[in-house]
C-alpha cells in the first residue's frame, strides 16, 4: 500500500520558519481510506516544520565525499544537489502494522512525502538553512549562487537530523554514518516555545537557565574571545569563549566576551533558527542584569545589547550567582504558615502535583527535557505534549460546522495515525511503555478500516479517548519514576527552587475546585 502527501512550510507572523515539531500525517489515511492514493494538505496549520524539511532534504542527499582544495571532505553535498533535490523532494518511509483482517500477519506500508518548489524558492530555503546554522560552507561561502559550492552539516545540523531520524525510525546507512561521526555534539539546548505562536518563552526562570548554559559551569577561557571560524561553538556543554582580564578598581571583572560571540553561541548551541532570537536573548541577559557592558559610557550602551565584535560584556555579580560560580546570599524562602495542612494533604500525591507544575512551567520543562534525554526517555514527555496538542486539535475539529467539517475531521484523524505510529504502534521508533491491554485496544482501533463520514467521526472520538488513556498512563509513569529522580538529581535539583511550594499551591487549587464542584 502506498500513500503520498504534499506539504507547505509554515511561517510565523514575523516571517520566521516555524521550528516546533508537528505530528506528521504519514500513514494517516491508509486504513481510513484504503482506496485513496494521495493526500494534499494546503492548510498552513498542518504544514511542515522547518527542521523536518531540512532533515528530509539531508536524508534524500547521498552526502558523499567531495574534493575541496586537494582534499576530500566526507558527508558533503553541493549547492546544485541541494537545490535540485529540494525543488522536487520525495521522502519514502515504510511502516509495519498488524493486518486489520488477520492480526497474525503484518502489513508493510510505504508513505512518500513530497515537496515541490521553484528553483529560486529552493535556493532561498537552502539559504535559510545556512542562516539557521544547520549547514556551513567548506569553502567559506555565504550563499548558494555557485552550483558547485560544497556544504556540510554543522554539529547543530547533525543533532537536529539525529532527532528527526530517531523520531521517524530512519536507519539509512549514509545518514547513520553522519550521526555516528565525531562532529555530532549529542546535545543542544532545546528551547521551549509557545504552542500557537512558536515564540520563545521569555520568563525570567527560562532566561536564567539558558544563561547558565551560555556561561558554562566554569569559565571557558581563551586567548581570543571571538573568531570567524565556521566551527565557532560546536559543543553546548561548554560556555561562551571569554578573554582573561586583570581586575582593577575601575574594572573589577576577570573575563570579558563579545556581543557577536554571544549571538554565535546561542545560534550554534540552541534550537533557535533565526538570529533575531539570539538578539532577543542577549537583550534579556542585559535587562536582567546578568551581564553588563565593559564600556557603559556611550549613550544606550547599558540598555541596548549590541551583537558586534567591538561590544564587550562581562558577567555581573548577580550573573555569577545565577551561573553557580558563586553562592547566593539569599536567605531561604519563608514557609507559608497556612501551607502545613495542605502539604500534609498533598504528600500522598506530591509527585503528581510536581509533574503537573513541571510540564506547565517552561523553565522547569526545559530542565526536565534535558534530564529525560540524558536518561534515554525523552519520548515520554514528547508524547504527553503532543497528545495535549492533538486534543486541542480534536476539540476544534468536532466543534467546527460547515462545509469543511469532514475535511478537518479527516486531517485530525491523519494526525492521530501519525502520532500512533511514532509512539504507540508495535515496533515504533519511540515505542512507549504502556499497559498491554491498552496497547491491544489501540492496535485494534487503529487498524480498523473506516467507511463513511459518520464512521470516520466515530472513529476519531474513539481514538481520542484511547489517546487520553495512554496520556494518563504516561503521566503516572513520569510521576512515579522519572520526576522523583529528576528532583533529586544533583545537577537539576538545585535549579528547582520553589517547585514544592508551587506543587502545594496547585494541590490546594485543585482541592478547592473539587470542593466547589461537589457543593
Amino acid at each position: 500500500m502506498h500513500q503520498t502527501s504534499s506539504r507547505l512550510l509554515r511561517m510565523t507572523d514575523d516571517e520566521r520558519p516555524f521550528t516546533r515539531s508537528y505530528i506528521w500525517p504519514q500513514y494517516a489515511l491508509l486504513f481510513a481510506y484504503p482506496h485513496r492514493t494521495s493526500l494534499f494538505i494546503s492548510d498552513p496549520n498542518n504544514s511542515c516544520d522547518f527542521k523536518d524539511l531540512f532533515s528530509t532534504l539531508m536524508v534524500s542527499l547521498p552526502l558523499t565525499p567531495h574534493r575541496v582544495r586537494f582534499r576530500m571532505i566526507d558527508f558533503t553535498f553541493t549547492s546544485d544537489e541541494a537545490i535540485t533535490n529540494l525543488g522536487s523532494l520525495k521522502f519514502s518511509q515504510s511502516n509495519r502494522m498488524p493486518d486489520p483482517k488477520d492480526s497474525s500477519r503484518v502489513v508493510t506500508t510505504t508513505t512518500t512525502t513530497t515537496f515541490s518548489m521553484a528553483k529560486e524558492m529552493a535556493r532561498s530555503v537552502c539559504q535559510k538553512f545556512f542562516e539557521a546554522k544547520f549547514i556551513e560552507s567548506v569553502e567559506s561561502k555565504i550563499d548558494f549562487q555557485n552550483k558547485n559550492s560544497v556544504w556540510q552539516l554543522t554539529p547543530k545540523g547533525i543533532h537536529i537530523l539525529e532527532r528527526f531520524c530517531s523520531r521517524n525510525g530512519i536507519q539509512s546507512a549514509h545518514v547513520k554514518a553522519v550521526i555516528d561521526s565525531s562532529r555530532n555534539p549529542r546535545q543542544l539546548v532545546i528551547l521551549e516555545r509557545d504552542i500557537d505562536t512558536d515564540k520563545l518563552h521569555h520568563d525570567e526562570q527560562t532566561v536564567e537557565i539558558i544563561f547558565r548554559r551560555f556561561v558554562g559551569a566554569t569559565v571557558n577561557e581563551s586567548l581570543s574571545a571571538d573568531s570567524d571560524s565556521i566551527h565557532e561553538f560546536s559543543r553546548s556543554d561548554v560556555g561562551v569563549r571569554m578573554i582573561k582580564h586583570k581586575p582593577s578598581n575601575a574594572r573589577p571583572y576577570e573575563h570579558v566576551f563579545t556581543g557577536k560571540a554571544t549571538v554565535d553561541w546561542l545560534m550554534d548551541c540552541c534550537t533557535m533558527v533565526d538570529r533575531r532570537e539570539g538578539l532577543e536573548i542577549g537583550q534579556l541577559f542585559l535587562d536582567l542584569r546578568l551581564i553588563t557592558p565593559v564600556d557603559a559610557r556611550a549613550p544606550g550602551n547599558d540598555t541596548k545589547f549590541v551583537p558586534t565584535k567591538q561590544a564587550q560584556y562581562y558577567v555581573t555579580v548577580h550573573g555569577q550567582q545565577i551561573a553557580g560560580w558563586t553562592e547566593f546570599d539569599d536567605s531561604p524562602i519563608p514557609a507559608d504558615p497556612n501551607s502545613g495542612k495542605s502539604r500534609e494533604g498533598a504528600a500522598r500525591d506530591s509527585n503528581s502535583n510536581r509533574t503537573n507544575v513541571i510540564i506547565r512551567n517552561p523553565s522547569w520543562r526545559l530542565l526536565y527535557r534535558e534530564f529525560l534525554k540524558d536518561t534515554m526517555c525523552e519520548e515520554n514527555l514528547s508524547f504527553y505534549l503532543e497528545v495535549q496538542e492533538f486534543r486541542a486539535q480534536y476539540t476544534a475539529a468536532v466543534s467546527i460546522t460547515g462545509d469543511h467539517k469532514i475535511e478537518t475531521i479527516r486531517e485530525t484523524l491523519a494526525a492521530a495515525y501519525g502520532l500512533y505510529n511514532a509512539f504507540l504502534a508495535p515496533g515504533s521508533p519511540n515505542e512507549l511503555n504502556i499497559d498491554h491491554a491498552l496497547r491491544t485496544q489501540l492496535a485494534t482501533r487503529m487498524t480498523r478500516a473506516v467507511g463513511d463520514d459518520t464512521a470516520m467521526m466515530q472513529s476519531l472520538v474513539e481514538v481520542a479517548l484511547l489517546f487520553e488513556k495512554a496520556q494518563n498512563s504516561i503521566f503516572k509513569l513520569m510521576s512515579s519514576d522519572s520526576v522523583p529522580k529528576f528532583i533529586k538529581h544533583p545537577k537539576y535539583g538545585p535549579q528547582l527552587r520553589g517547585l514544592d511550594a508551587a506543587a502545594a499551591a496547585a494541590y490546594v487549587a485543585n482541592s478547592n475546585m473539587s470542593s466547589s464542584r461537589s457543593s
Side-chain angles (χ1 to χ4, degrees):
M1 293 183 177
H2 194 276
Q3 172 194 338
T4 302
S5 63
S6 178
R7 299 162 63 87
L8 303 172
L9 183 64
R10 187 181 184 187
M11 305 294 285
T12 63
D13 55 9
D14 58 354
E15 294 302 311
R16 175 179 52 77
F18 247 75
T19 59
R20 292 179 55 256
S21 292
Y22 279 82
I23 302 168
W24 283 54
Q26 300 169 355
Y27 330 112
L29 301 183
L30 176 66
F31 297 104
Y33 289 89
H35 62 277
R36 187 165 173 159
T37 58
S38 63
L39 167 67
F40 294 94
I41 298 179
S42 58
D43 179 0
N45 291 324
N46 287 312
S47 54
C48 179
D49 170 16
F50 184 60
K51 298 192 296 296
D52 285 349
L53 178 57
F54 162 74
S55 299
T56 303
L57 173 62
M58 292 301 109
V59 171
S60 76
L61 292 171
L63 299 177
T64 53
H66 287 78
R67 185 177 296 278
V68 178
R69 299 191 186 97
F70 307 107
R71 65 191 183 102
M72 300 298 288
I73 309 295
D74 289 334
F75 313 127
T76 50
F77 58 93
T78 66
S79 298
D80 188 54
E81 289 174 334
I83 292 170
T84 300
N85 272 40
L86 195 55
S88 181
L89 184 61
K90 291 184 179 181
F91 169 58
S92 296
Q93 186 175 2
S94 296
N95 186 63
R96 293 162 58 85
M97 291 185 69
D99 188 332
K101 297 180 180 179
D102 182 358
S103 59
S104 65
R105 294 180 64 250
V106 173
V107 176
T108 300
T109 66
T110 300
T111 300
T112 298
T113 303
T114 65
F115 303 88
S116 181
M117 61 183 74
K119 188 172 183 178
E120 283 309 308
M121 175 62 75
R123 192 191 309 277
S124 176
V125 172
C126 286
Q127 188 68 29
K128 288 288 186 184
F129 292 153
F130 169 71
E131 293 168 0
K133 297 292 190 81
F134 292 173
I135 56 177
E136 59 196 9
S137 169
V138 179
E139 310 155 289
S140 301
K141 302 289 187 182
I142 59 172
D143 59 44
F144 282 76
Q145 295 304 315
N146 187 331
K147 69 178 184 178
N148 295 318
S149 296
V150 179
W151 304 82
Q152 65 181 354
L153 282 82
T154 62
K156 175 181 179 177
I158 295 173
H159 184 76
I160 286 169
L161 177 61
E162 179 184 22
R163 290 176 68 85
F164 175 84
C165 291
S166 174
R167 166 66 190 264
N168 291 283
I170 298 169
Q171 298 179 342
S172 304
H174 73 293
V175 174
K176 189 174 186 300
V178 178
I179 292 172
D180 291 342
S181 70
S182 59
R183 297 186 65 240
N184 187 347
R186 303 296 174 189
Q187 58 184 333
L188 286 178
V189 180
I190 311 296
L191 302 178
E192 300 295 324
R193 294 178 177 273
D194 183 272
I195 290 177
D196 298 318
T197 66
D198 197 54
K199 294 185 183 298
L200 294 175
H201 289 286
H202 287 169
D203 60 284
E204 186 172 346
Q205 267 189 312
T206 298
V207 175
E208 288 178 353
I209 290 170
I210 299 171
F211 179 74
R212 282 194 284 271
R213 305 295 181 271
F214 167 71
V215 296
T218 57
V219 176
N220 179 17
E221 191 173 302
S222 173
L223 296 177
S224 172
D226 195 272
S227 77
D228 291 317
S229 168
I230 59 175
H231 303 295
E232 184 70 14
F233 298 106
S234 60
R235 292 178 55 190
S236 62
D237 59 342
V238 176
V240 68
R241 190 177 290 112
M242 298 187 182
I243 295 178
K244 177 74 174 176
H245 174 269
K246 187 176 181 179
S248 64
N249 289 334
R251 297 187 171 188
Y253 43 83
E254 295 186 13
H255 296 89
V256 298
F257 55 94
T258 70
K260 176 182 178 297
T262 300
V263 178
D264 284 344
W265 187 95
L266 291 167
M267 285 297 298
D268 286 344
C269 300
C270 300
T271 52
M272 59 181 64
V273 300
D274 193 302
R275 193 172 178 83
R276 287 173 293 178
E277 292 184 329
L279 297 177
E280 289 176 22
I281 298 298
Q283 185 65 52
L284 288 167
F285 288 167
L286 190 63
D287 293 344
L288 295 175
R289 301 298 176 187
L290 301 171
I291 64 174
T292 196
V294 167
D295 185 3
R297 292 172 297 178
N301 259 21
D302 58 340
T303 58
K304 183 177 181 181
F305 174 75
V306 182
T308 65
K309 287 184 179 181
Q310 292 71 35
Q312 292 190 324
Y313 296 87
Y314 65 93
V315 180
T316 64
V317 173
H318 175 60
Q320 292 177 34
Q321 292 174 339
I322 294 298
W325 293 358
T326 59
E327 293 185 3
F328 272 96
D329 294 329
D330 303 10
S331 49
I333 299 173
D336 182 351
N338 299 318
S339 66
K341 292 182 180 179
S342 65
R343 286 180 184 274
E344 290 175 14
R348 182 180 64 256
D349 201 29
S350 58
N351 284 328
S352 294
N353 295 324
R354 288 182 182 124
T355 304
N356 256 322
V357 172
I358 288 168
I359 288 173
R360 293 172 182 173
N361 183 294
S363 58
W364 290 333
R365 188 169 68 243
L366 189 159
L367 293 175
Y368 185 47
R369 190 186 294 278
E370 284 187 4
F371 169 78
L372 291 176
K373 190 173 190 305
D374 290 342
T375 55
M376 308 297 287
C377 51
E378 184 187 359
E379 64 275 6
N380 289 336
L381 178 62
S382 296
F383 173 75
Y384 184 91
L385 295 174
E386 291 197 27
V387 173
Q388 289 283 77
E389 185 175 338
F390 168 78
R391 288 171 64 181
Q393 184 179 352
Y394 163 75
T395 301
V398 296
S399 303
I400 197 172
T401 57
D403 297 338
H404 298 294
K405 183 177 181 67
I406 294 302
E407 187 63 28
T408 304
I409 294 296
R410 184 179 297 125
E411 291 176 359
T412 307
L413 193 58
Y417 276 96
L419 205 160
Y420 172 76
N421 280 281
F423 293 102
L424 300 168
S428 58
N430 299 284
E431 189 173 354
L432 300 175
N433 181 17
I434 60 173
D435 179 73
H436 176 72
L438 178 56
R439 190 182 301 281
T440 301
Q441 283 182 286
L442 280 159
T444 301
R445 173 59 271 176
M446 301 305 286
T447 56
R448 190 186 308 157
V450 176
D452 57 20
D453 294 344
T454 302
M456 182 172 61
M457 181 65 196
Q458 180 59 35
S459 178
L460 180 59
V461 172
E462 293 174 10
V463 168
L465 289 173
L466 289 171
F467 276 5
E468 185 174 358
K469 288 183 179 180
Q471 185 190 39
N472 289 337
S473 175
I474 292 303
F475 180 87
K476 290 176 182 177
L477 178 62
M478 291 191 294
S479 298
S480 62
D481 182 50
S482 55
V483 164
K485 294 175 182 175
F486 171 59
I487 61 179
K488 293 176 182 176
H489 195 285
K491 177 181 176 182
Y492 301 103
Q495 301 181 55
L496 300 174
R497 294 161 57 86
L499 173 60
D500 282 344
Y507 173 82
V508 172
N510 289 336
S511 299
N512 291 341
M513 188 178 298
S514 299
S515 299
S516 62
R517 284 175 180 170
S518 60
S519 59

